[in-house]
Amino acid sequence: MLFEIDGLPVYFPYDRIYPEQYAYMCSLKQTLDAQGHGVLEMPSGTGKTVSLLSLIVSYQQFYPEKRKLIYCSRTVPEIEKALAELKRLIEYRKSCGLQESILGLGLTSRRNLCLHPSVSKEKKGKVVDARCRNLTASWVREAAQAGQDVETCSFYEDLENSDVREVITDAIYTLEDIKEIGKTKNMCPYYMARRLLSYANVVIYSYHYMLDPKIADLISKEMSKESIVVFDEAHNIDNVCIESLSLDIMRPTLEASSKSIAHLSEKIETMKQQGSEKLKNEYEKLVQGLQETLQSRDDDLVMANPALPEDLLREAVPGNIRKAEHFVAFLKRFNEYLKTRLRVLNVTAETPSSFLRHLKEITYIEKKPLQFCAERLSILIRTLELNNVDELQSLIKVAALATLVATYDAGFMLILEPYESENATVANPILRFACLDASIAIKPVFDRFSSVIITSGTLSPLDMYPKILDFTATVLESYPMTLTRNCFLPMVITRGSDQVAISSKFEVRNDPAVVRNFGNILIEFGKIVPDGIVAFFPSYLYMESIIAMWHEMGILTEAWKTKLIFIETPDAAETSIALDNYRRACENGRGAILLAVARGKVSEGIDFDHHYGRAVVMFGIPYQYTESRILKARLEFLRDVHRVRENDFLTFDALRHAAQCLGRVLRGKTDYGLMVFADRRYARQDKRSKLPKWINQYITDTSVNLSTDMGVAIAKKFLRSMAQPLETQAQLGVSLWTLEDVLARQRAQKEKLERAAQGIGHHHQYGAVEAQRLIHERATGAAYMDVS
Amino acid sequence: MSLLDDDVCPYFDTYNTCGACLSRCENCIERLFAHGPAPCPTCRQTLRKATFSEQTFEDLSVEKEVRIRKQMSSKFNKRREDFKTLKDYNDYLETVEDLTFKLVNEIDVETTKAAIDKFAAENRDLIRINADRLLNESRMATQKQEMLRLERQRRAEAYLKELEEEQAAKNEDRKNLIQELATSDKSAKTILAARQAISLKKTSMRKTEVKASSSGSSNTPSLLSDSYWRMQRDEEMDRHRDEEEDETSDTFDPVQSQYMDVDLGVGYVNSVNNNKAHAGGLVYPLLSSSIGVKDLYVEPIGVGSLSRTSKAGGYRLGFGYERAIE
């Protein structure tokens, strides 16, 4: 369907549109017009991706600037979904008779795209990367061209020898398409995609290409400032940012890097003896300045700098690490220093500046050369023409730590722990370089791009994200869900049938009465809910102890009578088998129970639509493990810098994960399911208010303080009514709009606005305010929806 | 010392090539050098006890290198400011590194040492000045670190105190309320309403306080949508409500808990909760017809009759009207 939003023609590839999609697009357009950043929360399963794409592509094609769209998602399946959606959209635009050339494509790792007969057989991503580099590095190719007997990759060679733009016509390429073209043209799909990035109108790839400074510089450097950046499923974005700047160093890492250092110095020695000019050339270049060497940075860059500020890049490498042998000795000293630090007996936490001071006292290493460590190492690796970069991983990590610790001070913390985990009895010291400030990694993105959109199904409370990511949002919006029938029923069960309050609070979580009542919820709902039930626990540890207790109590035997039980484990392969079998059991009609963990694999990105999930139970509140040092440091940081209270943040974090788990059950308006919050604390307003609006909106006071038997009674009725056939006709005009509905809305809106404008003449003050409000509502799209 | 040859301690692990031998075994050092300088059992150089120091590094070559660096740094302490261009400074750094490298790897030790001495003699004044500067700087740094530490401690204490005070104020409030309800002859409704107004004011005061102190990070975008403000307002109300709720739920008592009396059939909701039921029911009149759980459903009080009771639940009257008209 084609309609206009404030003069912008929007092509929407479906005949009908949800009201929230329409409102979402209005907010989006407003954000883009203002060239600002936006935070948008939209109910899961209401077609967020397609609304995003259709509005932004329309926007892009309508205005002469043709702002590029960079769409970041989390996982490969999500990227594929978005690409498929985009393809459909562009086909629709073509069928509408638009003459336009749009190039859109996705990028993923080499492992998913490689065509090389033997390399593509490798299972691990890092191995594929390393082997690919061994075949495509510039020195390897030079050697091959010089007639030496070295192996190269024919796919890469063919790509090098042709012009990508000539081969590829403007269209939308899914990951599969790119691979297919690579096969027919005998060209490397990965590098093809990477070269096309700068020409593409729409790019869809993973977060890391944008946020991880180690890769972002490589991939996303050439994107123009005007680009529109979208982070989808962004409820975890702060953690991604933090992880991309955090490092863990352990004894084996240091041992391995010691070995690598020895290997490097051997290499240097042999190279010197052979009288090679390469080391000398490298030295000459470094004397002239780092900028020169950076000119030669290209595809075969083996590792990128984790964080070198622009102005530093222009400076020359410090004199004391210019010579290769000096640098190796320098690395050795730093590595040995880390080893001595790892001989700790008690937990210590220190700031980077105090770490640097101690380092200087002990080893006479200054800050400046430390900053250049990562860059210098990558130059050295290239000079020595080392091929097996994967063997150097540990050393690269140590060098990255050196650079990070010397570059950043505020917002970082070094934490030394003699034991890896709380319960460990064998000392396994670990040095954690922890980033506490999520805004550091994402700052370049906000600085560089004029419009950054953060969107997900669970972003409440919205004002938390601008705070912790430190940006100013022009639009902050959360949409309620319009439904013709209440197709999901959230309920809070606070006590068991025996009136004992249930909670995963530390003091009572292993209380047999609480555990039994949790079990009873499972049994009772197992009896009445058809098909699949998914139950989430706050942690693996807690899940294990509860399952053990359930087994003793005979609860599992009881639950078995109605449904099969599957369990998620920390092992990914095991979990995927469990998930497969769970699905099979659901298909069979008997149904099953899946016991999973909030923050685990299952809770993120796996949909339990329709019969795969008719009920989701959240046992307890998934708080983080609060005794962790890093979390404590982060909480303190948040309190001091962002004025976010510890409890506020912990609750926010726990509830976004809870909402994420429960949101799994509903994927669209024809779907239906139960959402059970099983903890006394959910009844409190401060917890509930942090749930997304669209869930909160359907939590009524009748369903807030239930015991198990009451919950079962309500659920029974709900399921019975949901089992009635649903007619699309009934939804029309309410939770599903046709083009006429959209136009009618817009007309009504216009009239209202005009009336208000006339009102200005009559009642001066009142009218002006009213008109202002209406203009505002019109702009945000709030006026288009009369949901409440 | 001939005795020694028979019972050399296995831990007495010396490197005879260095000026200062290194040992892992404290006992051996004690025994060997108890009576002043004595020759090293392996390299026969005369050594003192003072030349031995505790080993910090696993790798003895690094240990040795660091010791040399220590000596070097006492002489070569020029700074960036002492050079005209960055290139000069870098060249200087490289020369120092070269000399150190030679000493560590024992290449041309004599000439190197001579060069070092020459440098030290030429730059005596500058070396002294820079050493002073360094000392000052390190003192400053220590001081600064200490100050930061104290500041952090102070902040943490302030925060804990703030929490405590809030808790105490809350307890006090509750006590007063009960006191007032028990003794005063006014109706419970008026008392509650009066309290409501006071505590609302308090919350907003706290909010503005926080806003003022965090003005740097707070954002007040002009384009904020209506619903955002609405949400903010909601939140304020919620926070206000929590304050009441905290008290009831922190110490859980199953008898006093708010539960629905099922026997009464139509959802009779106990005590304070009643007011909230209206608030919720009014905004989202759901669940009633389509699912058919009417027997547990609280009928919302119409907007027109939005009474004082509803206000007591933290519900702003105007807000209710606004929503209802839409």
Side-chain angles (χ1 to χ4, degrees):
Chain A
M1 85 170 63
L2 163 67
F3 54 88
E4 282 193 7
I5 297 178
D6 288 342
L8 169 74
V10 178
Y11 290 83
F12 191 76
Y14 298 93
D15 291 336
R16 284 157 193 168
I17 185 168
Y18 290 146
E20 43 280 81
Q21 285 181 313
Y22 182 71
Y24 185 80
M25 287 196 219
C26 292
S27 303
L28 252 179
K29 181 176 179 298
Q30 192 202 1
T31 319
L32 298 183
D33 283 339
Q35 302 238 340
H37 311 312
V39 178
L40 302 170
E41 178 183 72
M42 184 161 172
S44 59
T46 49
K48 191 169 11 122
T49 312
V50 71
S51 349
L52 252 172
L53 290 173
S54 60
L55 184 100
I56 297 181
V57 170
S58 301
Y59 193 91
Q60 176 186 58
Q61 294 303 321
F62 186 71
Y63 292 106
E65 297 96 12
K66 300 240 183 273
R67 294 167 72 182
K68 184 185 202 127
L69 166 63
I70 306 171
Y71 180 98
C72 308
S73 199
R74 231 175 12 182
T75 57
V76 177
E78 276 164 1
I79 291 171
E80 304 237 39
K81 253 196 275 177
L83 279 165
E85 207 66 85
L86 178 69
K87 201 167 181 177
R88 206 195 135 104
L89 170 71
I90 301 300
E91 269 161 24
Y92 174 77
R93 289 176 71 95
K94 277 233 171 74
S95 71
C96 290
L98 285 174
Q99 299 287 330
E100 52 194 10
S101 63
I102 300 177
L103 176 63
L105 75 156
L107 178 67
T108 174
S109 66
R110 289 184 177 88
R111 188 173 69 107
N112 300 328
L113 288 176
C114 185
L115 290 176
H116 190 276
S118 73
V119 176
S120 58
K121 295 279 183 306
E122 296 285 354
K123 294 249 157 27
K124 279 190 184 153
K126 277 207 169 126
V127 181
V128 176
D129 287 358
R131 287 199 56 193
C132 177
R133 281 188 199 111
N134 290 350
L135 297 173
T136 57
S138 58
W139 59 84
V140 173
R141 296 186 52 239
E142 270 164 32
Q145 270 158 20
Q148 286 176 37
D149 185 29
V150 276
E151 200 192 344
T152 54
C153 174
S154 69
F155 294 97
Y156 185 76
E157 292 304 315
D158 280 359
L159 178 74
E160 276 292 303
N161 297 331
S162 59
D163 183 8
V164 191
R165 285 299 284 160
E166 276 175 19
V167 181
I168 305 289
T169 49
D170 282 348
I172 305 302
Y173 298 98
T174 61
L175 300 177
E176 239 358 270
D177 291 344
I178 280 270
K179 230 173 150 175
E180 209 48 52
I181 291 178
K183 259 183 211 154
T184 51
K185 310 256 178 194
N186 201 31
M187 284 204 266
C188 174
Y190 173 77
Y191 281 102
M192 189 157 69
R194 265 182 61 176
R195 302 231 163 126
L196 284 172
L197 284 188
S198 48
Y199 305 104
N201 304 84
V202 183
V203 177
I204 299 182
Y205 56 35
S206 146
Y207 277 12
H208 296 275
Y209 292 121
M210 206 52 160
L211 291 178
D212 194 336
K214 292 181 224 93
I215 346 180
D217 195 42
L218 226 71
I219 308 272
S220 311
K221 205 171 164 189
E222 280 164 17
M223 308 292 189
S224 84
K225 201 196 156 314
E226 295 294 301
S227 305
I228 301 161
V229 180
V230 178
F231 290 103
D232 199 1
E233 303 294 334
H235 47 272
N236 252 340
I237 197 165
D238 56 321
N239 291 334
V240 176
C241 292
I242 280 175
E243 271 159 32
S244 70
L245 283 177
S246 295
L247 274 174
D248 282 357
I249 301 251
M250 294 170 77
R251 276 225 66 110
T253 323
L254 295 178
E255 299 297 347
S257 77
S258 272
K259 262 186 214 146
S260 302
I261 291 170
H263 179 65
L264 282 185
S265 71
E266 263 171 45
K267 264 273 184 185
I268 292 171
E269 214 39 58
T270 47
M271 204 169 233
K272 263 189 184 162
Q273 272 162 14
Q274 285 165 358
S276 168
E277 291 289 304
K278 280 171 187 151
L279 279 174
K280 213 176 259 172
N281 288 342
E282 177 202 77
Y283 173 76
E284 296 292 334
K285 270 188 196 160
L286 288 178
V287 171
Q288 280 157 21
L290 198 53
Q291 196 69 64
E292 305 281 313
T293 40
L294 288 176
Q295 299 287 312
S296 59
R297 277 174 106 160
D298 52 3
D299 283 345
D300 59 51
L301 191 70
V302 285
M303 59 174 283
N305 196 312
L308 215 48
E310 270 307 306
D311 48 333
L312 251 183
L313 281 175
R314 265 176 232 116
E315 216 178 279
V317 168
N320 44 6
I321 55 168
R322 269 198 310 226
K323 280 191 181 164
E325 58 267 31
H326 292 171
F327 179 61
V328 171
F330 174 88
L331 279 178
K332 194 169 165 188
R333 247 184 307 149
F334 183 65
N335 201 43
E336 285 297 315
Y337 171 76
L338 291 181
K339 276 189 195 169
T340 66
R341 289 306 302 267
L342 274 192
R343 289 203 299 251
V344 282
L345 295 173
N346 44 357
V347 180
T348 46
E350 60 180 341
T351 59
S353 60
S354 100
F355 176 86
L356 286 179
R357 279 191 65 202
H358 188 251
L359 173 70
K360 198 180 162 194
E361 254 164 52
I362 303 287
T363 60
Y364 301 92
I365 288 179
E366 301 266 351
K367 191 176 169 187
K368 207 50 175 294
L370 217 51
Q371 269 181 335
F372 284 88
C373 209
E375 194 67 42
R376 181 71 186 88
L377 180 62
S378 85
I379 294 171
L380 182 65
I381 290 174
R382 231 172 330 144
T383 314
L384 295 179
E385 301 184 351
L386 292 182
N387 267 344
N388 302 322
V389 179
D390 53 325
E391 285 167 17
L392 296 173
Q393 277 315 324
S394 303
L395 179 59
I396 288 172
K397 212 169 166 186
V398 169
L401 171 71
T403 302
L404 285 172
V405 81
T407 313
Y408 295 113
D409 186 27
F412 284 83
M413 194 63 118
L414 283 132
I415 294 166
L416 276 150
E417 284 177 288
Y419 298 100
E420 197 186 353
S421 62
E422 198 69 4
N423 308 322
T425 46
V426 183
N428 188 13
I430 180 163
L431 168 70
R432 298 179 198 271
F433 179 70
C435 172
L436 309 175
D437 188 355
S439 67
I440 293 174
I442 206 169
K443 190 169 181 297
V445 179
F446 282 122
D447 283 352
R448 227 175 87 208
F449 300 107
S450 48
S451 290
V452 178
I453 316 276
I454 288 177
T455 181
S456 171
T458 45
L459 285 175
S460 292
L462 293 179
D463 57 337
M464 188 64 104
Y465 286 87
K467 248 190 225 164
I468 56 179
L469 297 179
D470 193 21
F471 70 100
T472 318
T474 27
V475 176
L476 279 161
E477 203 62 66
S478 174
Y479 303 93
M481 201 163 178
T482 51
L483 295 171
T484 14
R485 55 168 194 174
N486 294 319
C487 65
F488 68 97
L489 174 68
M491 59 167 92
V492 179
I493 296 185
T494 54
R495 57 224 138 89
S497 303
D498 55 1
Q499 306 304 320
V500 174
I502 50 173
S503 172
S504 68
K505 229 172 164 174
F506 187 73
E507 296 84 9
V508 297
R509 54 163 51 179
N510 287 321
D511 190 339
V514 171
V515 176
R516 195 186 53 241
N517 273 322
F518 276 154
N520 280 336
I521 293 177
L522 199 70
I523 296 174
E524 293 303 323
F525 278 88
K527 283 180 189 159
I528 59 157
V529 175
D531 301 319
I533 298 178
V534 192
F536 288 98
F537 293 86
S539 70
Y540 282 113
L541 228 62
Y542 186 46
M543 178 165 83
E544 272 166 32
S545 79
I546 280 214
I547 290 175
M549 283 169 90
W550 279 355
H551 182 65
E552 277 169 26
M553 291 173 178
I555 284 169
L556 289 184
T557 339
E558 190 63 29
W560 259 315
K561 286 182 186 159
T562 49
K563 299 216 185 291
L564 290 172
I565 298 177
F566 297 95
I567 300 175
E568 181 192 7
T569 65
D571 185 284
E574 239 172 48
T575 303
S576 67
I577 294 172
L579 205 62
D580 268 358
N581 286 321
Y582 168 80
R583 290 225 164 96
R584 253 173 61 199
C586 290
E587 310 253 329
N588 277 339
R590 183 181 174 191
I593 295 170
L594 180 66
L595 303 177
V597 169
R599 296 163 204 278
K601 275 240 148 46
V602 170
S603 72
E604 294 271 335
I606 291 172
D607 294 345
F608 295 100
D609 51 331
H610 296 98
H611 61 288
Y612 292 127
R614 284 301 180 208
V616 184
V617 187
M618 180 78 233
F619 290 120
I621 299 181
Y623 278 115
Q624 283 187 62
Y625 174 61
T626 42
E627 289 306 304
S628 129
R629 310 274 161 189
I630 293 184
L631 182 63
K632 276 185 176 164
R634 190 169 175 214
L635 288 176
E636 197 186 319
F637 176 84
L638 285 170
R639 199 180 65 214
D640 288 349
V641 178
H642 297 313
R643 302 238 144 221
V644 178
R645 291 202 167 190
E646 277 169 30
N647 276 334
D648 281 349
F649 182 77
L650 286 174
T651 313
F652 150 75
D653 183 70
L655 284 170
R656 69 175 163 180
H657 280 104
Q660 196 56 34
C661 293
L662 293 161
R664 300 288 101 202
V665 76
L666 198 73
R667 310 318 287 179
K669 290 188 177 177
T670 52
D671 199 359
Y672 68 90
L674 282 163
M675 295 179 179
V676 181
F677 298 83
D679 194 301
R680 187 169 62 76
R681 290 168 291 173
Y682 285 116
R684 287 168 60 174
Q685 190 64 34
D686 68 321
K687 302 284 183 300
R688 264 191 293 145
S689 67
K690 289 191 170 73
L691 285 172
K693 198 175 185 178
W694 60 276
I695 295 184
N696 222 345
Q697 164 196 8
Y698 288 96
I699 304 184
T700 52
D701 282 296
T702 36
S703 58
V704 141
N705 195 6
L706 303 173
S707 62
T708 310
D709 48 348
M710 291 156 77
V712 168
I714 294 179
K716 259 188 194 161
K717 279 177 187 153
F718 168 77
L719 291 167
R720 217 171 283 150
S721 72
M722 280 301 116
Q724 307 310 315
L726 170 74
E727 281 172 26
T728 334
Q729 219 53 41
Q731 293 186 45
L732 284 178
V734 185
S735 60
L736 199 58
W737 288 353
T738 55
L739 185 57
E740 286 78 50
D741 289 316
V742 174
L743 294 177
R745 267 317 135 145
Q746 289 181 343
R747 260 200 312 279
Q749 190 50 44
K750 217 171 159 188
E751 276 168 25
K752 216 170 159 186
L753 202 69
E754 275 164 10
R755 257 209 319 276
Q758 286 164 6
I760 295 174
H762 301 302
H763 308 279
H764 201 73
Q765 198 137 26
Y766 170 77
V769 171
E770 176 73 356
Q772 202 113 66
R773 198 176 69 86
L774 277 170
I775 289 167
H776 205 99
E777 279 189 355
R778 184 166 157 271
T780 54
Y784 302 115
M785 302 178 55
D786 300 323
V787 186
S788 39
Chain B
M1 285 286 146
S2 58
L3 260 175
L4 254 174
D5 296 339
D6 307 64
D7 56 353
V8 167
C9 169
Y11 299 109
F12 195 93
D13 173 12
T14 53
Y15 276 19
N16 57 357
T17 49
C18 55
C21 285
L22 297 158
S23 167
R24 283 203 178 117
C25 177
E26 265 175 54
N27 286 337
C28 293
I29 300 170
E30 280 298 324
R31 199 181 41 173
L32 279 171
F33 306 105
H35 309 290
C40 169
T42 7
C43 70
R44 297 287 155 206
Q45 263 181 4
T46 308
L47 296 175
R48 287 166 186 279
K49 196 174 148 190
T51 47
F52 291 92
S53 60
E54 214 178 296
Q55 184 185 351
T56 23
F57 296 101
E58 216 168 80
D59 191 330
L60 287 171
S61 66
V62 174
E63 185 83 37
K64 188 179 130 197
E65 185 184 337
V66 165
R67 199 164 299 176
I68 291 170
R69 280 186 188 276
K70 191 176 180 184
Q71 292 162 7
M72 291 292 283
S73 74
S74 65
K75 291 173 186 140
F76 293 90
N77 58 5
K78 281 201 188 177
R79 302 154 157 255
R80 170 71 186 85
E81 303 93 270
D82 302 331
F83 297 92
K84 272 190 195 132
T85 65
L86 183 68
K87 192 170 177 310
D88 289 344
Y89 178 57
N90 277 333
D91 288 343
Y92 159 78
L93 284 178
E94 196 185 325
T95 338
V96 178
E97 199 63 31
D98 267 330
L99 293 173
T100 318
F101 193 76
K102 276 182 187 159
L103 278 187
V104 172
N105 294 300
E106 276 141 36
I107 309 164
D108 308 328
V109 179
E110 287 314 309
T111 41
T112 315
K113 275 191 174 162
I116 293 170
D117 288 340
K118 191 172 153 241
F119 174 87
E122 278 171 6
N123 297 289
R124 191 174 295 141
D125 293 341
L126 191 62
I127 288 172
R128 219 189 44 240
I129 293 169
N130 276 340
D132 275 356
R133 274 199 223 161
L134 204 70
L135 200 67
N136 274 338
E137 270 173 12
S138 97
R139 260 192 222 135
M140 290 271 284
T142 319
Q143 221 169 26
K144 200 174 148 200
Q145 214 169 357
E146 185 60 21
M147 263 167 63
L148 278 176
R149 198 183 60 79
L150 287 176
E151 168 69 20
R152 258 181 60 196
Q153 206 176 336
R154 196 189 56 73
R155 266 200 308 240
E157 274 165 14
Y159 173 68
L160 285 179
K161 210 174 141 208
E162 196 184 317
L163 282 188
E164 241 168 58
E165 272 169 12
E166 249 166 55
Q167 190 60 42
K170 215 189 273 174
N171 291 344
E172 182 71 12
D173 240 27
R174 188 164 170 72
K175 227 170 77 190
N176 287 346
L177 174 66
I178 291 171
Q179 184 71 25
E180 201 177 342
L181 281 173
T183 53
S184 144
D185 51 357
K186 283 184 223 153
S187 76
K189 260 186 199 168
T190 38
I191 294 172
L192 278 174
R195 293 238 144 223
Q196 207 70 54
I198 294 169
S199 56
L200 250 177
K201 213 183 262 171
K202 269 188 196 160
T203 353
S204 60
M205 253 168 70
R206 203 182 77 200
K207 264 208 137 161
T208 44
E209 244 169 65
V210 170
K211 278 242 169 77
S213 51
S214 68
S215 56
S217 60
S218 77
N219 51 316
T220 45
S222 55
L223 273 163
L224 277 182
S225 64
D226 213 9
S227 64
Y228 173 68
W229 291 118
R230 213 176 294 156
M231 202 187 67
Q232 286 256 312
R233 213 161 49 211
D234 280 347
E235 236 178 42
E236 207 164 313
M237 309 244 167
D238 291 342
R239 196 168 304 190
H240 172 65
R241 280 180 218 154
D242 303 343
E243 271 165 21
E244 288 183 349
E245 201 141 76
D246 278 354
E247 292 151 3
T248 47
S249 39
D250 275 347
T251 49
F252 184 70
D253 178 358
V255 183
Q256 280 204 338
S257 75
Q258 315 140 356
Y259 60 89
M260 264 178 273
D261 202 337
V262 188
D263 289 339
L264 282 177
V266 268
Y268 162 71
V269 185
N270 206 358
S271 73
V272 197
N273 228 11
N274 205 5
N275 307 327
K276 274 199 308 231
H278 300 156
L282 175 91
V283 183
Y284 309 116
L286 302 160
L287 258 181
S288 48
S289 54
S290 55
I291 305 176
V293 279
K294 199 144 195 173
D295 51 349
L296 278 172
Y297 180 67
V298 185
E299 202 61 42
I301 290 182
V303 192
S305 61
L306 199 77
S307 59
R308 277 240 173 80
T309 341
S310 320
K311 256 164 86 186
Y315 199 81
R316 205 168 59 89
L317 213 65
F319 181 37
Y321 282 119
E322 198 182 306
R323 299 304 287 266
I325 288 162
E326 281 179 35

